[in-house]
Amino acid sequence: QKEVEQDPGPLSVPEGAIVSLNCTYSNSAFQYFMWYRQYSRKGPELLMYTYSSGNKEDGRFTAQVDKSSKYISLFIRDSQPSDSATYLCAMSGPSNTGKLIFGQGTTLQVKP
Amino acid sequence: GAVVSQHPSWVICKSGTSVKIECRSLDFQATTMFWYRQFPKQSLMLMATSNEGSKATYEQGVEKDKFLINHASLTLSTLTVTSAHPEDSSFYICSYRTRDGPQHFGDGTRLSIL
């Protein structure tokens, strides 16, 4: 079993839809949770960075962490074609040495 | 936000050549640097971790004599793929982090060995 599970998709939605991306994990020691967006042939771009449980909002993006269920989510409101990319969840902890454990990544396509 | 510059973005070379990839942080002083490789439609695979002025720590299965990492300053790290062969063809990505922050990634280098 992988430490971090993420459905690879692909996920296809119409423009304007609300997108929900999720990851589950098995290591209860994880404390730091991140979402990255990666366009084709580019490096990952940090979208959200959260510590422990709770919600965090930034523009159209909302990240949720439920440590009791070992489940994290990223919501994208009013999705745009420019959101089409691969979304990677990543986590680390508890000492936050920086070494990340990544999910496989979910490919999202937002159709105009 | 943080900016990480990686160069070159794409390199094609003959088998047996050594290739150097540079990674610079442009607007903050990094404490730790990471090098990854990524195959098509797969997630990132960590190759090594290094702190400024220290030897890199390589992940299991990564040949340290094959992939030479130099982290001479807070703002510059290099990865040299020595005597590259076609199986070394991949997408190589560096990242930096500050003391308590997340990792910020470069735009990657596509390496093609003929």
Side-chain angles (χ1 to χ4, degrees), chain A residues 34 36 38 41-44 46 49 88 96-100 102-105, chain B residues 34 36 38 43-44 46 59 91 93 97 100-107 110:
Chain A
M34 286 136 278
Y36 290 89
Q38 186 176 24
R41 300 176 182 176
K42 291 288 187 181
L46 180 67
Y49 176 57
L88 296 156
N96 198 19
T97 59
K99 188 173 178 177
L100 296 178
F102 284 93
Q104 187 177 351
Chain B
F34 306 84
Y36 295 84
Q38 185 178 33
S43 192
L44 285 75
L46 180 65
E59 295 298 299
F91 191 53
I93 314 172
R97 71 184 292 264
D100 295 315
Q103 288 186 35
H104 297 275
F105 289 84
D107 264 346
R110 193 194 308 176

PDB file of all heavy atoms in Angstrom, chain A residues 34 36 38 41-44 46 49 88 96-100 102-105, chain B residues 34 36 38 43-44 46 59 91 93 97 100-107 110:
ATOM      1  N   MET A  34       0.450  19.876   1.361  1.00  0.00           N
ATOM      2  CA  MET A  34       0.591  20.801   0.253  1.00  0.00           C
ATOM      3  C   MET A  34      -0.156  20.312  -0.973  1.00  0.00           C
ATOM      4  O   MET A  34      -0.336  19.101  -1.164  1.00  0.00           O
ATOM      5  CB  MET A  34       2.083  20.944  -0.129  1.00  0.00           C
ATOM      6  CG  MET A  34       2.890  21.761   0.847  1.00  0.00           C
ATOM      7  SD  MET A  34       4.503  21.011   1.250  1.00  0.00           S
ATOM      8  CE  MET A  34       4.038  19.822   2.500  1.00  0.00           C
ATOM      9  N   TYR A  36       0.170  21.031  -5.143  1.00  0.00           N
ATOM     10  CA  TYR A  36       0.930  21.630  -6.225  1.00  0.00           C
ATOM     11  C   TYR A  36       0.180  21.437  -7.543  1.00  0.00           C
ATOM     12  O   TYR A  36      -0.504  20.432  -7.740  1.00  0.00           O
ATOM     13  CB  TYR A  36       2.317  20.976  -6.369  1.00  0.00           C
ATOM     14  CG  TYR A  36       3.286  21.289  -5.255  1.00  0.00           C
ATOM     15  CD1 TYR A  36       3.349  20.503  -4.110  1.00  0.00           C
ATOM     16  CD2 TYR A  36       4.169  22.357  -5.363  1.00  0.00           C
ATOM     17  CE1 TYR A  36       4.264  20.779  -3.094  1.00  0.00           C
ATOM     18  CE2 TYR A  36       5.084  22.647  -4.356  1.00  0.00           C
ATOM     19  CZ  TYR A  36       5.119  21.843  -3.228  1.00  0.00           C
ATOM     20  OH  TYR A  36       6.019  22.127  -2.227  1.00  0.00           O
ATOM     21  N   GLN A  38       0.895  21.233 -11.663  1.00  0.00           N
ATOM     22  CA  GLN A  38       1.977  21.028 -12.629  1.00  0.00           C
ATOM     23  C   GLN A  38       1.414  21.017 -14.042  1.00  0.00           C
ATOM     24  O   GLN A  38       0.622  20.145 -14.403  1.00  0.00           O
ATOM     25  CB  GLN A  38       2.730  19.721 -12.348  1.00  0.00           C
ATOM     26  CG  GLN A  38       3.955  19.541 -13.229  1.00  0.00           C
ATOM     27  CD  GLN A  38       4.770  18.303 -12.898  1.00  0.00           C
ATOM     28  OE1 GLN A  38       4.265  17.338 -12.328  1.00  0.00           O
ATOM     29  NE2 GLN A  38       6.049  18.325 -13.252  1.00  0.00           N
ATOM     30  N   ARG A  41       5.356  19.591 -18.897  1.00  0.00           N
ATOM     31  CA  ARG A  41       6.749  19.973 -19.116  1.00  0.00           C
ATOM     32  C   ARG A  41       7.177  21.183 -18.298  1.00  0.00           C
ATOM     33  O   ARG A  41       8.038  21.969 -18.722  1.00  0.00           O
ATOM     34  CB  ARG A  41       7.014  20.201 -20.604  1.00  0.00           C
ATOM     35  CG  ARG A  41       6.749  18.959 -21.438  1.00  0.00           C
ATOM     36  CD  ARG A  41       6.903  19.187 -22.901  1.00  0.00           C
ATOM     37  NE  ARG A  41       6.590  17.977 -23.656  1.00  0.00           N
ATOM     38  CZ  ARG A  41       6.563  17.903 -24.976  1.00  0.00           C
ATOM     39  NH1 ARG A  41       6.839  18.965 -25.693  1.00  0.00           N
ATOM     40  NH2 ARG A  41       6.263  16.773 -25.579  1.00  0.00           N
ATOM     41  N   LYS A  42       6.562  21.352 -17.139  1.00  0.00           N
ATOM     42  CA  LYS A  42       6.944  22.407 -16.205  1.00  0.00           C
ATOM     43  C   LYS A  42       7.101  21.814 -14.816  1.00  0.00           C
ATOM     44  O   LYS A  42       6.640  20.700 -14.542  1.00  0.00           O
ATOM     45  CB  LYS A  42       5.853  23.497 -16.160  1.00  0.00           C
ATOM     46  CG  LYS A  42       5.733  24.305 -17.434  1.00  0.00           C
ATOM     47  CD  LYS A  42       6.901  25.241 -17.598  1.00  0.00           C
ATOM     48  CE  LYS A  42       6.703  26.163 -18.787  1.00  0.00           C
ATOM     49  NZ  LYS A  42       7.859  27.079 -18.978  1.00  0.00           N
ATOM     50  N   GLY A  43       7.768  22.550 -13.932  1.00  0.00           N
ATOM     51  CA  GLY A  43       7.877  22.102 -12.559  1.00  0.00           C
ATOM     52  C   GLY A  43       6.606  22.365 -11.784  1.00  0.00           C
ATOM     53  O   GLY A  43       5.774  23.178 -12.184  1.00  0.00           O
ATOM     54  N   PRO A  44       6.413  21.673 -10.654  1.00  0.00           N
ATOM     55  CA  PRO A  44       5.222  21.908  -9.827  1.00  0.00           C
ATOM     56  C   PRO A  44       5.214  23.317  -9.226  1.00  0.00           C
ATOM     57  O   PRO A  44       6.262  23.834  -8.830  1.00  0.00           O
ATOM     58  CB  PRO A  44       5.355  20.851  -8.722  1.00  0.00           C
ATOM     59  CG  PRO A  44       6.272  19.811  -9.275  1.00  0.00           C
ATOM     60  CD  PRO A  44       7.226  20.555 -10.148  1.00  0.00           C
ATOM     61  N   LEU A  46       3.496  25.662  -6.232  1.00  0.00           N
ATOM     62  CA  LEU A  46       2.802  25.559  -4.956  1.00  0.00           C
ATOM     63  C   LEU A  46       1.489  26.338  -4.992  1.00  0.00           C
ATOM     64  O   LEU A  46       1.462  27.528  -5.296  1.00  0.00           O
ATOM     65  CB  LEU A  46       3.688  26.093  -3.832  1.00  0.00           C
ATOM     66  CG  LEU A  46       3.093  26.047  -2.426  1.00  0.00           C
ATOM     67  CD1 LEU A  46       2.917  24.596  -1.965  1.00  0.00           C
ATOM     68  CD2 LEU A  46       3.975  26.812  -1.440  1.00  0.00           C
ATOM     69  N   TYR A  49      -0.510  25.487   1.192  1.00  0.00           N
ATOM     70  CA  TYR A  49       0.390  24.913   2.203  1.00  0.00           C
ATOM     71  C   TYR A  49      -0.313  25.031   3.546  1.00  0.00           C
ATOM     72  O   TYR A  49      -0.604  26.131   4.005  1.00  0.00           O
ATOM     73  CB  TYR A  49       1.703  25.681   2.197  1.00  0.00           C
ATOM     74  CG  TYR A  49       2.710  25.289   3.250  1.00  0.00           C
ATOM     75  CD1 TYR A  49       3.162  23.977   3.336  1.00  0.00           C
ATOM     76  CD2 TYR A  49       3.250  26.229   4.124  1.00  0.00           C
ATOM     77  CE1 TYR A  49       4.114  23.618   4.283  1.00  0.00           C
ATOM     78  CE2 TYR A  49       4.205  25.863   5.068  1.00  0.00           C
ATOM     79  CZ  TYR A  49       4.633  24.566   5.137  1.00  0.00           C
ATOM     80  OH  TYR A  49       5.588  24.203   6.065  1.00  0.00           O
ATOM     81  N   LEU A  88      -0.912  17.674  -7.737  1.00  0.00           N
ATOM     82  CA  LEU A  88      -0.196  16.752  -6.867  1.00  0.00           C
ATOM     83  C   LEU A  88      -0.420  17.124  -5.414  1.00  0.00           C
ATOM     84  O   LEU A  88      -0.218  18.276  -5.028  1.00  0.00           O
ATOM     85  CB  LEU A  88       1.311  16.818  -7.155  1.00  0.00           C
ATOM     86  CG  LEU A  88       1.778  16.388  -8.543  1.00  0.00           C
ATOM     87  CD1 LEU A  88       3.108  17.026  -8.877  1.00  0.00           C
ATOM     88  CD2 LEU A  88       1.917  14.873  -8.594  1.00  0.00           C
ATOM     89  N   ASN A  96       9.020  18.222   9.876  1.00  0.00           N
ATOM     90  CA  ASN A  96       9.093  19.078   8.686  1.00  0.00           C
ATOM     91  C   ASN A  96      10.536  19.233   8.199  1.00  0.00           C
ATOM     92  O   ASN A  96      11.028  20.335   7.989  1.00  0.00           O
ATOM     93  CB  ASN A  96       8.479  20.459   8.944  1.00  0.00           C
ATOM     94  CG  ASN A  96       8.159  21.179   7.640  1.00  0.00           C
ATOM     95  OD1 ASN A  96       8.065  20.553   6.581  1.00  0.00           O
ATOM     96  ND2 ASN A  96       8.001  22.480   7.707  1.00  0.00           N
ATOM     97  N   THR A  97      11.200  18.081   8.035  1.00  0.00           N
ATOM     98  CA  THR A  97      12.545  18.108   7.480  1.00  0.00           C
ATOM     99  C   THR A  97      12.539  18.544   6.033  1.00  0.00           C
ATOM    100  O   THR A  97      13.581  18.843   5.467  1.00  0.00           O
ATOM    101  CB  THR A  97      13.186  16.709   7.560  1.00  0.00           C
ATOM    102  OG1 THR A  97      12.360  15.794   6.833  1.00  0.00           O
ATOM    103  CG2 THR A  97      13.295  16.251   9.004  1.00  0.00           C
ATOM    104  N   GLY A  98      11.371  18.554   5.461  1.00  0.00           N
ATOM    105  CA  GLY A  98      11.247  19.004   4.086  1.00  0.00           C
ATOM    106  C   GLY A  98      11.046  17.889   3.096  1.00  0.00           C
ATOM    107  O   GLY A  98      10.608  18.124   1.981  1.00  0.00           O
ATOM    108  N   LYS A  99      11.375  16.668   3.470  1.00  0.00           N
ATOM    109  CA  LYS A  99      11.216  15.560   2.529  1.00  0.00           C
ATOM    110  C   LYS A  99       9.728  15.300   2.325  1.00  0.00           C
ATOM    111  O   LYS A  99       8.984  15.101   3.282  1.00  0.00           O
ATOM    112  CB  LYS A  99      11.903  14.318   3.080  1.00  0.00           C
ATOM    113  CG  LYS A  99      11.961  13.156   2.111  1.00  0.00           C
ATOM    114  CD  LYS A  99      12.821  12.050   2.699  1.00  0.00           C
ATOM    115  CE  LYS A  99      12.862  10.848   1.778  1.00  0.00           C
ATOM    116  NZ  LYS A  99      13.749   9.779   2.304  1.00  0.00           N
ATOM    117  N   LEU A 100       9.297  15.339   1.076  1.00  0.00           N
ATOM    118  CA  LEU A 100       7.886  15.219   0.757  1.00  0.00           C
ATOM    119  C   LEU A 100       7.529  13.825   0.262  1.00  0.00           C
ATOM    120  O   LEU A 100       8.309  13.182  -0.443  1.00  0.00           O
ATOM    121  CB  LEU A 100       7.502  16.223  -0.330  1.00  0.00           C
ATOM    122  CG  LEU A 100       7.619  17.706   0.019  1.00  0.00           C
ATOM    123  CD1 LEU A 100       7.243  18.560  -1.184  1.00  0.00           C
ATOM    124  CD2 LEU A 100       6.748  18.049   1.205  1.00  0.00           C
ATOM    125  N   PHE A 102       4.702  12.326  -2.144  1.00  0.00           N
ATOM    126  CA  PHE A 102       3.748  12.800  -3.138  1.00  0.00           C
ATOM    127  C   PHE A 102       2.688  11.755  -3.449  1.00  0.00           C
ATOM    128  O   PHE A 102       2.938  10.549  -3.407  1.00  0.00           O
ATOM    129  CB  PHE A 102       4.466  13.123  -4.453  1.00  0.00           C
ATOM    130  CG  PHE A 102       5.239  14.404  -4.442  1.00  0.00           C
ATOM    131  CD1 PHE A 102       6.580  14.402  -4.102  1.00  0.00           C
ATOM    132  CD2 PHE A 102       4.639  15.597  -4.787  1.00  0.00           C
ATOM    133  CE1 PHE A 102       7.305  15.584  -4.100  1.00  0.00           C
ATOM    134  CE2 PHE A 102       5.350  16.782  -4.784  1.00  0.00           C
ATOM    135  CZ  PHE A 102       6.685  16.770  -4.448  1.00  0.00           C
ATOM    136  N   GLY A 103       1.502  12.256  -3.799  1.00  0.00           N
ATOM    137  CA  GLY A 103       0.528  11.405  -4.451  1.00  0.00           C
ATOM    138  C   GLY A 103       0.901  11.253  -5.915  1.00  0.00           C
ATOM    139  O   GLY A 103       1.828  11.901  -6.417  1.00  0.00           O
ATOM    140  N   GLN A 104       0.167  10.398  -6.597  1.00  0.00           N
ATOM    141  CA  GLN A 104       0.472  10.119  -7.993  1.00  0.00           C
ATOM    142  C   GLN A 104       0.139  11.293  -8.899  1.00  0.00           C
ATOM    143  O   GLN A 104       0.687  11.433  -9.991  1.00  0.00           O
ATOM    144  CB  GLN A 104      -0.298   8.871  -8.445  1.00  0.00           C
ATOM    145  CG  GLN A 104       0.068   8.374  -9.830  1.00  0.00           C
ATOM    146  CD  GLN A 104      -0.655   7.096 -10.198  1.00  0.00           C
ATOM    147  OE1 GLN A 104      -1.311   6.484  -9.368  1.00  0.00           O
ATOM    148  NE2 GLN A 104      -0.574   6.703 -11.450  1.00  0.00           N
ATOM    149  N   GLY A 105      -0.763  12.159  -8.438  1.00  0.00           N
ATOM    150  CA  GLY A 105      -1.198  13.292  -9.249  1.00  0.00           C
ATOM    151  C   GLY A 105      -2.506  12.983  -9.955  1.00  0.00           C
ATOM    152  O   GLY A 105      -2.704  11.856 -10.428  1.00  0.00           O
TER     153      GLY A 105
ATOM    154  N   PHE B  34      16.639  19.987  -3.038  1.00  0.00           N
ATOM    155  CA  PHE B  34      16.240  18.640  -3.419  1.00  0.00           C
ATOM    156  C   PHE B  34      16.333  18.491  -4.942  1.00  0.00           C
ATOM    157  O   PHE B  34      16.060  19.433  -5.681  1.00  0.00           O
ATOM    158  CB  PHE B  34      14.795  18.362  -2.998  1.00  0.00           C
ATOM    159  CG  PHE B  34      14.514  18.602  -1.540  1.00  0.00           C
ATOM    160  CD1 PHE B  34      14.205  19.869  -1.079  1.00  0.00           C
ATOM    161  CD2 PHE B  34      14.569  17.554  -0.636  1.00  0.00           C
ATOM    162  CE1 PHE B  34      13.944  20.101   0.261  1.00  0.00           C
ATOM    163  CE2 PHE B  34      14.308  17.776   0.712  1.00  0.00           C
ATOM    164  CZ  PHE B  34      14.000  19.044   1.154  1.00  0.00           C
ATOM    165  N   TYR B  36      14.927  15.931  -8.042  1.00  0.00           N
ATOM    166  CA  TYR B  36      13.981  14.896  -8.388  1.00  0.00           C
ATOM    167  C   TYR B  36      14.148  14.521  -9.858  1.00  0.00           C
ATOM    168  O   TYR B  36      14.649  15.299 -10.659  1.00  0.00           O
ATOM    169  CB  TYR B  36      12.541  15.419  -8.224  1.00  0.00           C
ATOM    170  CG  TYR B  36      12.114  15.773  -6.818  1.00  0.00           C
ATOM    171  CD1 TYR B  36      12.414  17.012  -6.270  1.00  0.00           C
ATOM    172  CD2 TYR B  36      11.375  14.872  -6.050  1.00  0.00           C
ATOM    173  CE1 TYR B  36      12.004  17.351  -4.990  1.00  0.00           C
ATOM    174  CE2 TYR B  36      10.948  15.200  -4.774  1.00  0.00           C
ATOM    175  CZ  TYR B  36      11.270  16.442  -4.252  1.00  0.00           C
ATOM    176  OH  TYR B  36      10.856  16.764  -2.984  1.00  0.00           O
ATOM    177  N   GLN B  38      11.497  12.753 -12.934  1.00  0.00           N
ATOM    178  CA  GLN B  38      10.095  12.428 -13.185  1.00  0.00           C
ATOM    179  C   GLN B  38       9.977  11.796 -14.560  1.00  0.00           C
ATOM    180  O   GLN B  38      10.419  12.384 -15.548  1.00  0.00           O
ATOM    181  CB  GLN B  38       9.233  13.698 -13.105  1.00  0.00           C
ATOM    182  CG  GLN B  38       7.752  13.450 -13.223  1.00  0.00           C
ATOM    183  CD  GLN B  38       6.931  14.731 -13.083  1.00  0.00           C
ATOM    184  OE1 GLN B  38       7.355  15.802 -13.485  1.00  0.00           O
ATOM    185  NE2 GLN B  38       5.744  14.621 -12.494  1.00  0.00           N
ATOM    186  N   SER B  43       4.659  10.480 -10.855  1.00  0.00           N
ATOM    187  CA  SER B  43       4.940  11.522  -9.879  1.00  0.00           C
ATOM    188  C   SER B  43       6.449  11.727  -9.743  1.00  0.00           C
ATOM    189  O   SER B  43       7.242  11.047 -10.383  1.00  0.00           O
ATOM    190  CB  SER B  43       4.315  11.159  -8.536  1.00  0.00           C
ATOM    191  OG  SER B  43       4.344  12.259  -7.668  1.00  0.00           O
ATOM    192  N   LEU B  44       6.826  12.665  -8.914  1.00  0.00           N
ATOM    193  CA  LEU B  44       8.240  12.986  -8.734  1.00  0.00           C
ATOM    194  C   LEU B  44       8.915  11.934  -7.864  1.00  0.00           C
ATOM    195  O   LEU B  44       8.359  11.478  -6.866  1.00  0.00           O
ATOM    196  CB  LEU B  44       8.389  14.348  -8.063  1.00  0.00           C
ATOM    197  CG  LEU B  44       8.132  15.579  -8.928  1.00  0.00           C
ATOM    198  CD1 LEU B  44       6.648  15.791  -9.179  1.00  0.00           C
ATOM    199  CD2 LEU B  44       8.747  16.812  -8.307  1.00  0.00           C
ATOM    200  N   LEU B  46      12.231  11.455  -5.577  1.00  0.00           N
ATOM    201  CA  LEU B  46      13.354  12.142  -4.943  1.00  0.00           C
ATOM    202  C   LEU B  46      14.648  11.403  -5.199  1.00  0.00           C
ATOM    203  O   LEU B  46      14.728  10.188  -5.011  1.00  0.00           O
ATOM    204  CB  LEU B  46      13.100  12.271  -3.439  1.00  0.00           C
ATOM    205  CG  LEU B  46      14.184  12.982  -2.631  1.00  0.00           C
ATOM    206  CD1 LEU B  46      14.290  14.448  -3.039  1.00  0.00           C
ATOM    207  CD2 LEU B  46      13.890  12.872  -1.131  1.00  0.00           C
ATOM    208  N   GLU B  59      18.991   9.084  -2.092  1.00  0.00           N
ATOM    209  CA  GLU B  59      17.964   8.088  -1.823  1.00  0.00           C
ATOM    210  C   GLU B  59      18.460   6.709  -2.271  1.00  0.00           C
ATOM    211  O   GLU B  59      19.359   6.581  -3.129  1.00  0.00           O
ATOM    212  CB  GLU B  59      16.678   8.440  -2.557  1.00  0.00           C
ATOM    213  CG  GLU B  59      16.036   9.719  -2.067  1.00  0.00           C
ATOM    214  CD  GLU B  59      15.614   9.630  -0.611  1.00  0.00           C
ATOM    215  OE1 GLU B  59      14.774   8.778  -0.279  1.00  0.00           O
ATOM    216  OE2 GLU B  59      16.133  10.443   0.193  1.00  0.00           O
ATOM    217  N   PHE B  91      13.013  13.816 -16.944  1.00  0.00           N
ATOM    218  CA  PHE B  91      12.748  15.204 -16.582  1.00  0.00           C
ATOM    219  C   PHE B  91      13.307  15.404 -15.180  1.00  0.00           C
ATOM    220  O   PHE B  91      12.874  14.731 -14.241  1.00  0.00           O
ATOM    221  CB  PHE B  91      11.235  15.453 -16.635  1.00  0.00           C
ATOM    222  CG  PHE B  91      10.820  16.884 -16.542  1.00  0.00           C
ATOM    223  CD1 PHE B  91      11.352  17.842 -17.388  1.00  0.00           C
ATOM    224  CD2 PHE B  91       9.849  17.282 -15.634  1.00  0.00           C
ATOM    225  CE1 PHE B  91      10.951  19.169 -17.313  1.00  0.00           C
ATOM    226  CE2 PHE B  91       9.439  18.609 -15.553  1.00  0.00           C
ATOM    227  CZ  PHE B  91       9.989  19.548 -16.387  1.00  0.00           C
ATOM    228  N   ILE B  93      14.106  17.850 -11.934  1.00  0.00           N
ATOM    229  CA  ILE B  93      13.546  19.055 -11.308  1.00  0.00           C
ATOM    230  C   ILE B  93      14.246  19.292  -9.976  1.00  0.00           C
ATOM    231  O   ILE B  93      14.432  18.347  -9.196  1.00  0.00           O
ATOM    232  CB  ILE B  93      12.029  18.924 -11.045  1.00  0.00           C
ATOM    233  CG1 ILE B  93      11.306  18.367 -12.266  1.00  0.00           C
ATOM    234  CG2 ILE B  93      11.439  20.269 -10.648  1.00  0.00           C
ATOM    235  CD1 ILE B  93       9.840  18.039 -12.005  1.00  0.00           C
ATOM    236  N   ARG B  97      13.851  24.858  -0.225  1.00  0.00           N
ATOM    237  CA  ARG B  97      12.948  25.280   0.831  1.00  0.00           C
ATOM    238  C   ARG B  97      13.715  26.142   1.823  1.00  0.00           C
ATOM    239  O   ARG B  97      14.924  25.999   1.993  1.00  0.00           O
ATOM    240  CB  ARG B  97      12.329  24.075   1.547  1.00  0.00           C
ATOM    241  CG  ARG B  97      13.271  23.286   2.416  1.00  0.00           C
ATOM    242  CD  ARG B  97      12.587  22.072   3.000  1.00  0.00           C
ATOM    243  NE  ARG B  97      11.562  22.404   3.974  1.00  0.00           N
ATOM    244  CZ  ARG B  97      11.763  22.417   5.286  1.00  0.00           C
ATOM    245  NH1 ARG B  97      12.959  22.160   5.779  1.00  0.00           N
ATOM    246  NH2 ARG B  97      10.768  22.685   6.107  1.00  0.00           N
ATOM    247  N   ASP B 100      11.552  26.675   7.552  1.00  0.00           N
ATOM    248  CA  ASP B 100      10.308  26.047   7.989  1.00  0.00           C
ATOM    249  C   ASP B 100       9.227  26.070   6.925  1.00  0.00           C
ATOM    250  O   ASP B 100       8.061  25.863   7.222  1.00  0.00           O
ATOM    251  CB  ASP B 100       9.779  26.761   9.247  1.00  0.00           C
ATOM    252  CG  ASP B 100      10.703  26.583  10.422  1.00  0.00           C
ATOM    253  OD1 ASP B 100      11.154  25.443  10.634  1.00  0.00           O
ATOM    254  OD2 ASP B 100      10.985  27.584  11.118  1.00  0.00           O
ATOM    255  N   GLY B 101       9.617  26.332   5.692  1.00  0.00           N
ATOM    256  CA  GLY B 101       8.622  26.522   4.654  1.00  0.00           C
ATOM    257  C   GLY B 101       8.468  25.333   3.735  1.00  0.00           C
ATOM    258  O   GLY B 101       9.149  24.315   3.871  1.00  0.00           O
ATOM    259  N   PRO B 102       7.573  25.461   2.769  1.00  0.00           N
ATOM    260  CA  PRO B 102       7.361  24.392   1.796  1.00  0.00           C
ATOM    261  C   PRO B 102       8.446  24.406   0.729  1.00  0.00           C
ATOM    262  O   PRO B 102       9.244  25.345   0.646  1.00  0.00           O
ATOM    263  CB  PRO B 102       6.004  24.760   1.187  1.00  0.00           C
ATOM    264  CG  PRO B 102       6.004  26.254   1.228  1.00  0.00           C
ATOM    265  CD  PRO B 102       6.711  26.626   2.505  1.00  0.00           C
ATOM    266  N   GLN B 103       8.441  23.397  -0.122  1.00  0.00           N
ATOM    267  CA  GLN B 103       9.377  23.357  -1.236  1.00  0.00           C
ATOM    268  C   GLN B 103       8.826  24.180  -2.404  1.00  0.00           C
ATOM    269  O   GLN B 103       7.641  24.166  -2.684  1.00  0.00           O
ATOM    270  CB  GLN B 103       9.598  21.913  -1.693  1.00  0.00           C
ATOM    271  CG  GLN B 103      10.428  21.099  -0.717  1.00  0.00           C
ATOM    272  CD  GLN B 103      10.762  19.720  -1.225  1.00  0.00           C
ATOM    273  OE1 GLN B 103      10.970  19.526  -2.423  1.00  0.00           O
ATOM    274  NE2 GLN B 103      10.812  18.749  -0.324  1.00  0.00           N
ATOM    275  N   HIS B 104       9.771  24.858  -3.081  1.00  0.00           N
ATOM    276  CA  HIS B 104       9.446  25.600  -4.297  1.00  0.00           C
ATOM    277  C   HIS B 104      10.292  25.020  -5.424  1.00  0.00           C
ATOM    278  O   HIS B 104      11.506  24.874  -5.268  1.00  0.00           O
ATOM    279  CB  HIS B 104       9.743  27.091  -4.123  1.00  0.00           C
ATOM    280  CG  HIS B 104       8.910  27.734  -3.062  1.00  0.00           C
ATOM    281  ND1 HIS B 104       7.635  28.225  -3.311  1.00  0.00           N
ATOM    282  CD2 HIS B 104       9.140  27.952  -1.753  1.00  0.00           C
ATOM    283  CE1 HIS B 104       7.152  28.716  -2.200  1.00  0.00           C
ATOM    284  NE2 HIS B 104       8.027  28.568  -1.243  1.00  0.00           N
ATOM    285  N   PHE B 105       9.649  24.723  -6.532  1.00  0.00           N
ATOM    286  CA  PHE B 105      10.306  23.964  -7.589  1.00  0.00           C
ATOM    287  C   PHE B 105      10.745  24.836  -8.755  1.00  0.00           C
ATOM    288  O   PHE B 105      10.121  25.862  -9.061  1.00  0.00           O
ATOM    289  CB  PHE B 105       9.349  22.891  -8.124  1.00  0.00           C
ATOM    290  CG  PHE B 105       9.104  21.775  -7.155  1.00  0.00           C
ATOM    291  CD1 PHE B 105       8.139  21.893  -6.163  1.00  0.00           C
ATOM    292  CD2 PHE B 105       9.854  20.603  -7.229  1.00  0.00           C
ATOM    293  CE1 PHE B 105       7.926  20.864  -5.252  1.00  0.00           C
ATOM    294  CE2 PHE B 105       9.634  19.572  -6.328  1.00  0.00           C
ATOM    295  CZ  PHE B 105       8.672  19.705  -5.346  1.00  0.00           C
ATOM    296  N   GLY B 106      11.819  24.379  -9.404  1.00  0.00           N
ATOM    297  CA  GLY B 106      12.211  24.958 -10.672  1.00  0.00           C
ATOM    298  C   GLY B 106      11.318  24.423 -11.782  1.00  0.00           C
ATOM    299  O   GLY B 106      10.450  23.575 -11.546  1.00  0.00           O
ATOM    300  N   ASP B 107      11.556  24.912 -13.000  1.00  0.00           N
ATOM    301  CA  ASP B 107      10.724  24.513 -14.127  1.00  0.00           C
ATOM    302  C   ASP B 107      11.201  23.241 -14.811  1.00  0.00           C
ATOM    303  O   ASP B 107      10.620  22.824 -15.807  1.00  0.00           O
ATOM    304  CB  ASP B 107      10.618  25.645 -15.147  1.00  0.00           C
ATOM    305  CG  ASP B 107       9.361  26.469 -14.941  1.00  0.00           C
ATOM    306  OD1 ASP B 107       8.473  26.003 -14.190  1.00  0.00           O
ATOM    307  OD2 ASP B 107       9.258  27.564 -15.509  1.00  0.00           O
ATOM    308  N   ARG B 110      14.553  18.932 -19.288  1.00  0.00           N
ATOM    309  CA  ARG B 110      14.304  17.704 -20.014  1.00  0.00           C
ATOM    310  C   ARG B 110      15.607  17.231 -20.612  1.00  0.00           C
ATOM    311  O   ARG B 110      16.224  17.943 -21.419  1.00  0.00           O
ATOM    312  CB  ARG B 110      13.270  17.907 -21.117  1.00  0.00           C
ATOM    313  CG  ARG B 110      12.780  16.579 -21.666  1.00  0.00           C
ATOM    314  CD  ARG B 110      12.031  16.694 -22.938  1.00  0.00           C
ATOM    315  NE  ARG B 110      10.964  17.665 -22.870  1.00  0.00           N
ATOM    316  CZ  ARG B 110      10.207  17.978 -23.927  1.00  0.00           C
ATOM    317  NH1 ARG B 110      10.417  17.401 -25.079  1.00  0.00           N
ATOM    318  NH2 ARG B 110       9.273  18.875 -23.815  1.00  0.00           N
TER     319      ARG B 110
END
